[in-house]
Structure formats: structure tokens, C-alpha cells
Amino acid sequence: MVVDSLSDGTRIAQLLASEVTGHEDAFSVLSVVDADPDVEPTDDGALAYAVAAGDERVAEVYVQPDRARVEFLAHPDVTAEAASEEGLRVRPKAVRPPRTLVFVEDGAQVKWTLPAFRALVAALEAEGRDQ
């Protein structure tokens, strides 16, 4: 039997980690940190790992039973726009500092998150040039 879609939050998060670490050229400034290999999905989302640029956490990935959620901590406007353009469900998180939530509800959507990570890297690099 062929499965048409992958909707397991833990597996989706694993695929996303592989994409971030596997695109060394595009995402060379990013690394997966603080990974919990035994994370169990929860309805509210359990922290699976963070994505860092140097020593700074720039995103966190949470797992729910049927999806993964990326919380972009850095450059929320840029990442929201890029993820929206890919058709992903995006919403702001009203905290200080603000965050952007991106919901990845299917394994195929993992690739759709890559433009948001590219936009994040570009914004981080531009920020570094401005300093």
C-alpha cells in the first residue's frame, strides 16, 4: 500500500532537520541544536529542537501528533512573508519579541519551508553587514 502523505509530526520535524542540515551551502550559518531524540508529540507541541545561527537561536521546531510547527524567533516578518508565498499556514505569535508560527502539516510541505529559512539566512547576513 502506498501512503500519499506523511502527517506524523515527529517524522515531519525529522525531515525538516535533514533539509536544514543537508543544504550546507544555502544554510551553512544554521545548525540544529538542543535536539531531543525521544521527544513525544503533544497537542500543544513539544520542543523537538532549535535552529541556531552561531550562538543565537533563530527558530524552534515543535511536534504535535499530526504536524510540526516552526517558530521563527528572528526576522518574523521576513519569514512570514516567505512562508505565506509558499502557501503554508502562517500566523504571528503575540509575545515579546514577536515570533512567526509556520505550520507544516505534511511531509511534502517540508520543502515549502525552505524559502522561509533562505529568507532568514539572507536577513541574518544583511544584519551582519549592517553592524
Side-chain angles (χ1 to χ4, degrees):
M1 181 165 108
V2 175
V3 177
D4 291 329
S5 65
L6 171 65
S7 60
D8 174 281
T10 302
R11 185 68 184 122
I12 292 169
Q14 291 168 343
L15 289 171
L16 180 56
S18 294
E19 289 292 332
V20 170
T21 58
H23 284 85
E24 286 123 21
D25 291 340
F27 303 136
S28 62
V29 300
L30 301 179
S31 59
V32 172
V33 298
D34 301 327
D36 180 356
D38 300 319
V39 67
E40 292 291 328
T42 65
D43 289 340
D44 291 333
L47 179 64
Y49 56 86
V51 177
D55 293 335
E56 178 188 4
R57 276 189 179 201
V58 294
E60 295 173 340
V61 178
Y62 294 83
V63 293
Q64 295 173 274
D66 59 346
R67 66 183 176 197
R69 178 181 80 239
V70 181
E71 293 193 13
F72 286 99
L73 312 176
H75 301 285
D77 295 338
V78 170
T79 54
E81 183 178 337
S84 291
E85 287 176 3
E86 293 299 314
L88 291 167
R89 193 160 62 96
V90 176
R91 75 175 173 91
K93 185 172 184 179
V95 295
R96 292 277 176 230
R99 295 180 175 197
T100 291
L101 306 182
V102 176
F103 298 92
V104 188
E105 299 174 348
D106 185 280
Q109 290 182 348
V110 167
K111 295 277 190 191
W112 301 0
T113 65
L114 299 183
F117 280 99
R118 282 188 196 97
L120 173 62
V121 168
L124 290 168
E125 290 174 346
E127 181 180 78
R129 286 190 296 266
D130 292 342
Q131 293 179 0

